[in-house]
Amino acid sequence: MGEETFGQVLRDLRGNRTLEAVAHAAGISTSYVYKLENDQRKPARRVVEALEVATNAQGALIEASERNGKKSASNADTFPPIATKSPVRTLDINDHYGETGEDATERRRLFGLAASAGIVGFDEIVRQELDHTTDRPRSAEDWDITRADHLHALRTRPPAQVIKDLSIDLYALRQQMHTTSGDELTELYRVAALLAVIQANALTRVSDHGAAIRWWSTARKTADASRDLELRLLVRSEEAIHGLYGQREPETVLRLIENARRISRRPWPRLMTARAKALALLNRSKEAADTLRDLHDHMDKGIVGDRWEFFKPDQIPFAESWVAAYSHNEAAADAARGRVLQIIPERSYQYRMNAVLHEAISTAALGGADEGARLAAELIDSLPAGFRTNHIWETARMVLRAVPLEQRERPAVGELRSLLTIEP
């Protein structure tokens, strides 16, 4: 940016954002940002640091300040006017972390990216700064509790909120990994893989499939880096199972499953449920049923799910409900759905909703187009908007696809089709 003044650099970095937005992000008043942009005031170092984060300046404001502001500290504003909505003053990252050079610049860059993406606000930046002053990295037990919390949130809360909250912990994890080595780093690879799986799942739920696929890739890489066989299989199982909700073709999912089986030939329940579901979508009903029988045999022999509780026994009747619905076996679907609704807690809204939508698929396929379509529409209407996940929308689409061609112009079918067009 040549020999531009601090104010000119700040104005360029603000771009189309309002003065108020930048001021709020930096924790200072709007009028003070205006004066800085017009070179009417000289900012203290702590103000420059805050504006670095707020504008994702990547060092440009610090450079401009050092180039143009070589006056004594008494000429700078030690305590600038604070925005009324901000309860704390701006923190100096270097003062609190003892960081210099590349480490401090990297922290500023990442904070800036997080803030500009809307992942964190100024209050969260301050909280992390304060949290880090204890100089006590999270223990493996702390991270496991964090993993359990986010997995619970995934099952019970709107996925958009899960993504935002989890992004903050993923950022904190990245920072801890940056200063860790040896066995401790290997353990953090496990944590990273598990959190990446939850993030990919949540992104799938909000239909951000491109981002989800990238997070699946990250989950695989970090799981492989941990050298934990069970974790590597878990990640690939989750990627396969959620790929079936409009993210990938069923044939691609079967390829993912075969790739996972090259890692280990040991029976893995989640992979087997994914395979059964993919085969059912491809109208390979007999193979799907055979896979479920094999799954029961292995479970009877003591084969269990993963130690992180991603796979639970209630997912077996859910897979049976899926296979029976897509095979148009109404009696089997009814029986499996009954077991699902009996076992799965009410707070696990997505599994319960999709199990009932399986009933609508069977009903529509077997001639009850109006009844199946009405059931699907009523279920979706009963959900708050934030809980209408991609998984539920995709299953509802399967209700439409199950309607025989000659019945697709019926009024209730048309109403369901119209409802599905309003998906966010």
Side-chain angles (χ1 to χ4, degrees):
M1 295 187 179
E3 295 300 316
E4 289 181 310
T5 65
F6 180 88
Q8 289 170 329
V9 175
L10 176 58
R11 190 162 53 248
D12 289 341
L13 287 167
R14 180 166 64 85
N16 293 326
R17 297 175 68 187
T18 64
L19 286 167
E20 290 82 358
V22 172
H24 179 72
I28 57 182
S29 71
T30 302
S31 63
Y32 191 68
V33 175
Y34 173 82
K35 291 175 182 178
L36 289 175
E37 285 193 356
N38 289 278
D39 294 306
Q40 296 175 13
R41 305 296 286 268
K42 297 295 181 183
R45 174 74 176 197
R46 67 191 62 201
V47 177
V48 178
E49 294 280 2
L51 288 168
E52 276 276 324
V53 172
T55 61
N56 189 24
Q58 301 186 37
L61 285 174
I62 290 176
E63 180 183 347
S65 175
E66 292 174 348
R67 183 175 65 240
N68 301 141
K70 295 181 180 179
K71 294 185 178 181
S72 66
S74 61
N75 290 332
D77 294 312
T78 306
F79 296 106
I82 303 297
T84 56
K85 293 183 179 180
S86 178
V88 294
R89 285 201 302 267
T90 306
L91 297 179
D92 187 323
I93 293 174
N94 290 344
D95 287 348
H96 285 276
Y97 281 82
E99 296 180 274
T100 58
E102 293 182 1
D103 286 344
T105 299
E106 178 65 2
R107 280 191 60 77
R108 289 192 296 271
R109 184 185 73 82
L110 289 172
F111 263 143
L113 288 172
S116 62
I119 295 171
V120 302
F122 182 72
D123 58 338
E124 175 57 27
I125 293 173
V126 172
R127 189 200 64 78
Q128 290 199 26
E129 297 292 337
L130 290 173
D131 191 49
H132 197 76
T133 60
T134 62
D135 200 27
R136 293 182 186 135
R138 292 194 213 180
S139 66
E141 175 65 18
D142 288 338
W143 277 116
D144 191 57
I145 291 173
T146 297
R147 183 271 312 161
D149 287 342
H150 286 300
L151 186 57
H152 172 72
L154 181 70
R155 291 166 173 163
T156 60
R157 298 172 192 159
Q161 185 62 50
V162 175
I163 293 166
K164 186 172 183 178
D165 292 340
L166 180 51
S167 294
I168 293 171
D169 279 322
L170 285 165
Y171 170 78
L173 175 62
R174 187 269 176 203
Q175 291 302 111
Q176 187 168 332
M177 293 175 75
H178 187 60
T179 58
T180 305
S181 60
D183 291 341
E184 292 181 358
L185 180 59
T186 299
E187 183 58 37
L188 291 184
Y189 279 134
R190 292 191 182 94
V191 173
L194 292 166
L195 295 187
V197 164
I198 297 173
Q199 188 77 330
N201 186 328
L203 287 163
T204 302
R205 294 182 185 219
V206 297
S207 304
D208 194 346
H209 297 303
I213 288 172
R214 291 189 291 274
W215 275 102
W216 291 126
S217 176
T218 296
R220 273 186 274 111
K221 290 175 182 177
T222 49
D224 291 346
S226 76
R227 301 187 297 277
D228 185 322
L229 177 60
E230 183 179 350
L231 180 58
R232 296 174 70 196
L233 291 172
L234 168 70
V235 168
R236 287 160 171 83
S237 300
E238 293 297 306
E239 180 177 13
I241 207 78
H242 294 286
L244 292 170
Y245 290 94
Q247 192 167 94
R248 287 176 157 130
E249 294 290 341
E251 294 89 347
T252 303
V253 170
L254 289 176
R255 287 178 59 188
L256 293 175
I257 293 169
E258 288 307 309
N259 289 340
R261 293 177 66 185
R262 293 192 187 104
I263 297 174
S264 172
R265 301 299 294 185
R266 67 177 277 194
W268 191 251
R270 190 66 161 153
L271 276 176
M272 297 179 78
T273 59
R275 185 171 187 273
K277 293 176 182 180
L279 290 169
L281 287 180
L282 293 169
N283 296 318
R284 294 160 62 176
S285 302
K286 183 179 183 305
E287 293 174 80
D290 290 344
T291 301
L292 289 177
R293 277 192 290 273
D294 289 342
L295 172 60
H296 277 290
D297 288 343
H298 289 305
M299 297 294 286
D300 291 342
K301 293 175 183 176
I303 301 296
V304 295
D306 60 276
R307 65 183 185 269
W308 302 282
E309 297 187 338
F310 280 80
F311 179 87
K312 293 185 176 182
D314 57 27
Q315 293 175 23
I316 296 178
F318 182 82
E320 292 172 334
S321 173
W322 174 302
V323 170
Y326 290 117
S327 301
H328 309 321
N329 185 336
E330 191 169 25
D334 289 345
R337 183 180 64 260
R339 290 194 294 276
V340 170
L341 297 178
Q342 184 178 16
I343 295 173
I344 294 181
E346 288 190 10
R347 64 178 181 270
S348 297
Y349 68 97
Q350 183 166 273
Y351 271 108
R352 295 180 66 87
M353 182 67 66
N354 272 354
V356 180
L357 284 171
H358 292 164
E359 175 187 0
I361 291 172
S362 297
T363 300
L366 296 173
D370 283 340
E371 183 182 353
R374 273 195 296 269
L375 174 59
E378 289 169 2
L379 287 170
I380 293 174
D381 275 337
S382 70
L383 273 178
F387 290 88
R388 296 178 186 178
T389 67
N390 166 70
H391 294 59
I392 292 170
W393 286 114
E394 189 62 27
T395 308
R397 290 191 195 97
M398 290 304 299
V399 176
L400 284 181
R401 294 170 193 151
V403 174
L405 288 174
E406 65 275 11
Q407 297 185 28
R408 292 188 178 179
E409 299 305 317
R410 298 183 70 87
V413 177
E415 290 173 11
L416 177 60
R417 187 181 299 110
S418 296
L419 176 62
L420 294 179
T421 62
I422 66 171
E423 176 188 0

